[in-house]
């Protein structure tokens, strides 16, 4: 274990509880707070090579916990805002209709350009992160976002033609 990794492990042991309390106060849910803190430590650990000033690692960790908590709270707000739309959806009348929908969707996906098809399938079917999808496609995360955006727009227009 190199020196920087050892320092980060020590930082984890010394400040985990403090950061957990901070996250708990922000998100008001212990398991979510634990996830926020673990994610923050993981992000700092993964980017340790770029850490210029080791003395500022704790400040960077605190900022990361705050940012991750803010992201979680934003997702909660969006979820709460649109929950009523999800609840009001009516289920398909029977399973045979779902089979047709899958066939139509598969045909529409097959009509997408290769890169858009890859991005849409990896992001939304395989449920990979943007970063992992970008790594697999050997493109930037921004390119993945663009491919997905264009692919979903094209799918929408293709599916409207069929319905």
């Amino acid at each position: 274990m190199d020196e920087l990794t050892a320092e980060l492990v020590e930082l984890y042991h010394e400040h985990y509880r403090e950061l957990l309390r901070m996250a708990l106060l922000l998100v008001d849910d212990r398991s979510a707070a634990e996830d926020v803190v673990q994610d923050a430590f993981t992000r700092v650990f993964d980017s340790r090579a770029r850490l210029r000033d080791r003395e500022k690692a704790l400040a960077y960790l605190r900022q990361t916990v705050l940012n991750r908590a803010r992201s979680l709270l934003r997702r909660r707000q969006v979820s709460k805002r649109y929950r009523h739309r999800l609840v009001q959806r009516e289920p398909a009348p029977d399973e045979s209709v779902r089979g047709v929908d899958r066939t139509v969707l598969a045909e529409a996906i097959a009509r997408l350009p290769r890169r858009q098809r890859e991005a849409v399938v990896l992001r939304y079917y395989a449920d990979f992160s943007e970063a992992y999808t970008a790594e697999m496609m050997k493109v930037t995360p921004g390119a993945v976002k663009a491919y997905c955006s264009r692919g979903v727009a094209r799918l929408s227009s293709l599916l409207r033609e069929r319905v």
Side-chain angles (χ1 to χ4, degrees), residues 23-35:
L24 186 56
L25 290 171
L26 292 168
V27 300
D28 197 31
D29 175 12
R30 183 167 181 91
S31 64
E34 289 172 350
D35 289 344

Side-chain angles (χ1 to χ4, degrees), residues 68-130:
R68 301 309 306 154
R70 286 176 178 163
S71 292
L72 176 68
L73 294 172
R74 276 192 299 273
R75 284 192 305 273
R76 281 184 186 172
Q77 281 182 325
V78 169
S79 175
K80 188 183 270 186
R81 187 176 310 141
Y82 294 104
R83 184 175 298 142
H84 68 281
R85 291 183 185 179
L86 296 173
V87 172
Q88 292 176 355
R89 284 189 178 171
E90 296 198 16
D94 63 55
E95 290 297 314
S96 64
V97 173
R98 281 192 180 159
V100 172
D101 289 343
R102 287 184 183 158
T103 303
V104 170
L105 180 60
E107 289 171 1
I109 289 173
R111 291 178 59 189
L112 292 176
R114 181 180 64 87
R115 294 301 233 166
Q116 289 178 12
R117 185 175 55 246
E118 287 175 0
V120 167
V121 169
L122 292 173
R123 283 286 291 134
Y124 301 116
Y125 180 75
D127 199 29
F128 292 146
S129 69
E130 284 173 1

Side-chain angles (χ1 to χ4, degrees), residues 13-14 71 134:
H13 289 294
E14 288 179 22
S71 292

